[in-house]
Amino acid sequence: MSYAEKSMVPGETLLYQTRHHWMVLIGPVVMGFVFGVLAAGLLIEAIAAKNGKGVAAGATSTGVEGMVVFGVFLLVVAIVMLAYGIAKRNATEMAVTNKRVLIKTGMASRRTLDLMLSRVESIGVEETVFGRMLGYGSVIVRGTGGTPEPFLMIAHPQEFRRAVQEQTGLERTGSN
């Protein structure tokens, strides 16, 4: 169950929900791939050396064991990097209900913003060229009398802004 679903009060309905775009996974995937390839190379070379073939065919058993240990270490690093990227992507949630804007960021430490729709002064979206093509951008939420709250690399930022604007328009006209 998501943070938004847990945080809703009676009579509140979830209208739109988004999170980080998949682009936040590019760095961890590339680094995980690099470490994974290095690990595979070391492990393959250790197996070849153990069988008397390959570049390290004359390596001592200590050298082969060292390659195996370091290869396994690099493989664990690759898996941890991928897991961290996925966890970081899933750690940010943004939602619009018929009463509030809910935003949660963070994994170990959490930062939340629950803003009543009547208190939303403006919501801005910044998108790069690639962001527009791939569907991600930054959302800047400003509450009345508050400082701007930027949230980076959010999937479908224009849709999120549209959902907030639709609800603030309904609330201000009394149609809610």
Side-chain angles (χ1 to χ4, degrees):
M1 181 178 274
S2 72
Y3 169 78
E5 293 167 333
K6 290 181 206 173
S7 300
M8 291 193 331
V9 296
E12 193 171 24
T13 55
L14 184 62
L15 303 171
Y16 185 79
Q17 192 170 13
T18 190
R19 59 180 16 140
H20 272 302
H21 192 266
W22 59 265
M23 285 291 290
V24 299
L25 293 174
I26 295 292
V29 166
V30 168
M31 293 305 293
F33 179 76
V34 167
F35 282 109
V37 167
L38 291 172
L42 276 173
L43 294 173
I44 289 169
E45 188 58 36
I47 291 169
K50 196 172 190 179
N51 294 332
K53 301 174 184 171
V55 175
T60 64
S61 64
T62 307
V64 172
E65 289 173 5
M67 285 195 305
V68 169
V69 169
F70 194 59
V72 169
F73 172 75
L74 289 176
L75 191 60
V76 169
V77 168
I79 292 168
V80 167
M81 291 188 100
L82 289 172
Y84 174 78
I86 292 168
K88 184 177 179 184
R89 179 177 188 258
N90 293 333
T92 297
E93 295 179 40
M94 299 180 81
V96 180
T97 72
N98 60 332
K99 297 181 182 197
R100 300 181 288 169
V101 174
L102 303 165
I103 301 171
K104 178 202 67 103
T105 61
M107 292 186 294
S109 60
R110 180 182 287 180
R111 178 177 163 224
T112 61
L113 174 69
D114 292 4
L115 190 59
M116 300 302 290
L117 288 171
S118 61
R119 296 292 190 187
V120 175
E121 187 174 285
S122 68
I123 184 162
V125 172
E126 295 177 1
E127 295 173 298
T128 63
V129 172
F130 289 119
R132 288 188 69 193
M133 288 191 297
L134 297 174
Y136 69 88
S138 298
V139 173
I140 299 105
V141 178
R142 287 181 182 88
T144 53
T147 59
E149 297 283 344
F151 299 93
L152 311 175
M153 299 286 287
I154 302 301
H156 313 295
Q158 295 287 356
E159 292 175 26
F160 180 78
R161 179 174 65 178
R162 190 173 304 114
V164 172
Q165 288 173 335
E166 286 174 1
Q167 288 308 302
T168 56
L170 288 174
E171 188 170 280
R172 288 185 180 128
T173 61
S175 303
N176 202 7

